[in-house]
Amino acid sequence: MKRFLKWLDEDLEETILMVLLVAIAVVMMAQVVMRYCFRQSMPWPEEFCRFCFVYSGFISMGYCVRRGKMLKVDILVTFFPKAVQKVLEAVSEAVTLLFFGYLTFYAYQATMNSMRGGMKSTAMEVPMWIIYAAVLIGSSLGLIRQAQKIFRALRPAEKEGLN
């Protein structure tokens, strides 16, 4: 169980992103083979790949937070003394946490509204709430990862062994 929790903590997003990338590559290759070798094209691969791409974009939010790859404009921060830089970093982390909380809340509402609406995608006829759930899943992962990051920063004794 400990190994599974460690895997969840360290490699969840990366694994999902790899699976999505492989799925895109395999499906698009199958579409190319079908089109040029068998003179038949399938109607759903482009939509499938688009949906995988959307999911990979939103799931990467949690990955970026976990790996410390979030975009920052810190040129102004470097002009301040170290003590002020630490305060600004803490404010930045709190604002990022609030942003992910805000995004998660409204993504949940959008997903529920889409579920009630009953729309389906054109080629695959997948319920559109599944596509809207990408925002919810990605922002939730971002929220969890940002909360973990703040929690780890507040506990310096555990900070060294993790990352």
Side-chain angles (χ1 to χ4, degrees):
M1 184 66 169
K2 240 181 182 180
R3 278 181 33 182
F4 177 71
L5 291 175
K6 186 176 188 226
W7 174 82
L8 268 179
D9 185 43
E10 293 179 358
D11 299 322
L12 174 68
E13 293 94 343
E14 202 169 67
T15 303
I16 294 170
L17 291 171
M18 279 191 313
V19 167
L20 289 171
L21 181 63
V22 167
I24 290 170
V26 167
V27 168
M28 286 311 289
M29 182 57 71
Q31 175 70 332
V32 168
V33 168
M34 287 296 294
R35 186 176 294 152
Y36 292 107
C37 294
F38 299 107
R39 304 275 187 230
Q40 290 284 337
S41 75
M42 300 178 286
W44 57 270
E46 287 84 4
E47 189 173 85
F48 174 81
C49 291
R50 187 175 329 122
F51 293 159
C52 286
F53 185 74
V54 167
Y55 262 88
S56 67
F58 283 104
I59 288 174
S60 67
M61 289 192 303
Y63 174 79
C64 290
V65 171
R66 173 73 177 117
R67 302 287 185 219
K69 304 289 185 196
M70 296 290 286
L71 289 176
K72 291 186 203 179
V73 179
D74 59 356
I75 185 123
L76 292 177
V77 175
T78 59
F79 292 118
F80 290 107
K82 292 287 183 196
V84 175
Q85 287 181 15
K86 286 186 178 189
V87 170
L88 290 174
E89 181 68 25
V91 169
S92 170
E93 300 296 337
V95 167
T96 303
L97 183 70
L98 289 172
F99 169 75
F100 281 126
Y102 177 84
L103 188 59
T104 301
F105 177 76
Y106 285 104
Y108 174 78
Q109 288 186 337
T111 303
M112 292 300 115
N113 287 339
S114 180
M115 194 181 285
R116 284 189 289 274
M119 278 181 40
K120 293 188 177 196
S121 67
T122 52
M124 294 184 350
E125 295 190 15
V126 172
M128 286 306 290
W129 69 265
I130 293 174
I131 310 311
Y132 281 89
V135 184
L136 177 62
I137 293 167
S139 61
S140 297
L141 285 170
L143 181 66
I144 291 166
R145 295 304 189 182
Q146 186 65 25
Q148 284 178 327
K149 185 177 180 182
I150 291 171
F151 181 74
R152 287 177 177 147
L154 295 174
R155 299 191 61 182
E158 291 184 358
K159 189 176 177 182
E160 292 174 22
L162 299 173
N163 197 8

